[in-house]
Amino acid sequence: MAVRLKAALGEEVLDLKAGDVVYLSGRIYTARDAAHRKILELSKKGKLPFELDGAVIYHCGPVVRRKGDGWEVVSAGPTTSARMNRYLDEILSLGVRGIIGKGGMEVGPFVGRAVYFAFTGGAGSLAAKSVKRVVDVHWLDELGIPEAVWVLEVENFPLLVAIDSKGNSLYR
Amino acid sequence: MEGLVDTIVDAIRLAVTTIPEDTVKALRRAYEREESEVARFNLCNVLRAIEIGRNRSIPVCQDTGTLTFFVKAGAESPYLGEIEASIIEATRRATLEIPLRPNAVDVLTNKNSGDNTGKDVPVIHWELVGGSEIQIAVLPKGGGSENCSALAMLTPAEGWEGVKRFVLERVKECGGKPCPPVILGIGVGGGADYSLTLAKKALLRKVGERNPNERIAELEEELLEEVNSLGLGPMGMGGNTTAIDVKIEVAYRHPASFPVGLVVQCWANRRAFLRIKADGRVEVWQ
């Protein structure tokens, strides 16, 4: 089944099933290892500079280039999500409703609250076509381009529901 | 030598934007062989990404990797002394111009150098050979697949059966993480360090190109079949194609040791070569 979704997401994600194709539009946040640590540290202090309730987090370190005052995303495929397993439960407790990545994650923490979307690893040039603009970037100087949090506006980003909120997974 | 840095930048650009034709053919065949919707979704994305990379001259995968260079340096080449500095400068310029993702991070401070250079990176493997030509192979390789690489120090009694068991277990354990369909480089013998270098060098061979030793060529094909019978499939979500090739390179071993280096390469099988002749003529190819 193909479904169109708009981020931020709500309880509609609970109805998605592993194997569904989703076309995602709206705002998503890239985050890798260092960004996860930073997000969790700042959220404990109540100083997180963005709202993660209903948010979609993308495990991605893009190739970007300067465009005028802003940035352009050149290539932006997913990174290996399993590295972020250790932060998953806490990240989902912040209200995050969707994770985009590759390779899969621990299933347990998703049950009853969120879904894992897979995009094809390595297909960065194709993923970049769905990115309409860079809305913002956080902690660029501190973390560097791949690890910074890039706030991206995406349109019809084609994704597979690979782990659903009932605990079904497509991974072997 | 004038233009040497430009030529190395050209080779890096070719490697990250254009997936070699032998690999594309194997991926197309894999797409035709797959029946499940999920496997076809992933392989269709792979083939589209390859086309966009080539048409728009942008990196196919955002992880443009750590740049590794294998240099076969002719001892009589007049350019020997310039190669190292030119590779480092080309890496800096390629990062800015193509662009590449800056992937070089200080191990203590975690600070990114911003230009893919730093202590001992890019990695340069030197091999001094006869003659006056220099050949450089560029191998940009992503972190996701590199994290699945591994070393096993088998006992000689375990031998080739041990190699198969080790490789199959490792591939199964890694699942979708290295972005299958993968290419496996395997180095056997030569000591712990050298087996891994051999394994990485093996990836420079074309997909479908067998080891000239007949028995080793058979082992490559046997392992390819066994890896594919695991059913992990594209991105680890099930399917007929988990690997599109297996490459084995060997060196003699110590009688007490049976070292096996395994290097996993993702479907974005990036590589390019350049040759510098003594008269300054240059050739770039895949």
Side-chain angles (χ1 to χ4, degrees), chain A residues 170-172, chain B residues 34 36 38-39 42 231-241:
Chain A
L170 296 183
Y171 292 96
R172 301 291 161 110
Chain B
E34 290 292 353
S36 93
V38 168
N42 284 310
L232 293 169
M235 299 301 138
M237 296 187 209
N240 300 323
T241 313

Side-chain angles (χ1 to χ4, degrees), chain A residues 19 21 23 32 37 58 60-65 72-80 82-83 102-104 118-129 140-146 158-160 162 170-172, chain B residues 38 41-46 48-50 52-53 56 58-64 97-103 110-112 143-145 147 172 174-179 230-233 235-239 267-268:
Chain A
V21 172
Y23 293 92
R32 294 160 56 101
R37 285 194 294 273
Y58 185 17
C60 168
V63 175
V64 291
R65 69 177 146 217
E72 177 192 18
V73 168
V74 177
S75 190
T79 194
T80 307
R83 292 199 315 272
K102 73 164 168 94
F119 186 73
T120 311
S125 58
L126 176 63
K129 283 187 81 171
L140 180 59
D141 289 341
E142 185 185 343
L143 303 182
I145 286 175
L159 304 168
L160 267 175
L170 296 183
Y171 292 96
R172 301 291 161 110
Chain B
V38 168
F41 171 89
N42 284 310
L43 286 172
C44 176
N45 283 348
V46 160
R48 286 176 66 197
I50 290 172
I52 295 168
R56 296 183 48 201
I58 56 171
V60 173
C61 177
Q62 78 292 338
D63 187 357
T64 48
E97 288 173 20
I98 295 174
L100 306 177
R101 196 174 75 183
N103 276 340
N110 296 324
K111 192 82 191 159
N112 193 316
S145 60
N147 286 345
K172 213 155 59 178
C174 285
K177 288 181 213 160
C179 289
L230 293 174
L232 293 169
M235 299 301 138
M237 296 187 209
W267 65 260

Side-chain angles (χ1 to χ4, degrees), chain B residues 6-81:
Chain B
D6 293 332
T7 309
I8 303 172
V9 172
D10 287 346
I12 298 171
R13 180 179 286 112
L14 180 65
V16 300
T17 62
T18 307
I19 303 301
E21 202 43 45
D22 48 84
T23 308
V24 181
K25 269 190 197 143
L27 291 166
R28 273 197 210 113
R29 259 201 314 277
Y31 177 74
E32 283 153 20
R33 271 160 41 107
E34 290 292 353
E35 282 152 25
S36 93
E37 288 280 323
V38 168
R40 288 173 74 87
F41 171 89
N42 284 310
L43 286 172
C44 176
N45 283 348
V46 160
L47 293 168
R48 286 176 66 197
I50 290 172
E51 212 177 301
I52 295 168
R54 193 179 43 214
N55 293 345
R56 296 183 48 201
S57 198
I58 56 171
V60 173
C61 177
Q62 78 292 338
D63 187 357
T64 48
T66 300
L67 293 177
T68 302
F69 296 85
F70 291 90
V71 183
K72 269 189 203 164
E76 288 149 39
S77 166
Y79 309 114
L80 272 185

Side-chain angles (χ1 to χ4, degrees), chain B residues 51 81 84 92 153 169 188 212 219 223 230 257 261 279 286:
Chain B
E51 212 177 301
E84 185 173 345
R92 283 202 183 100
M153 300 304 288
E169 271 171 16
V188 177
L219 283 162
L223 247 175
L230 293 174
S257 305
D279 60 7
Q286 271 186 316

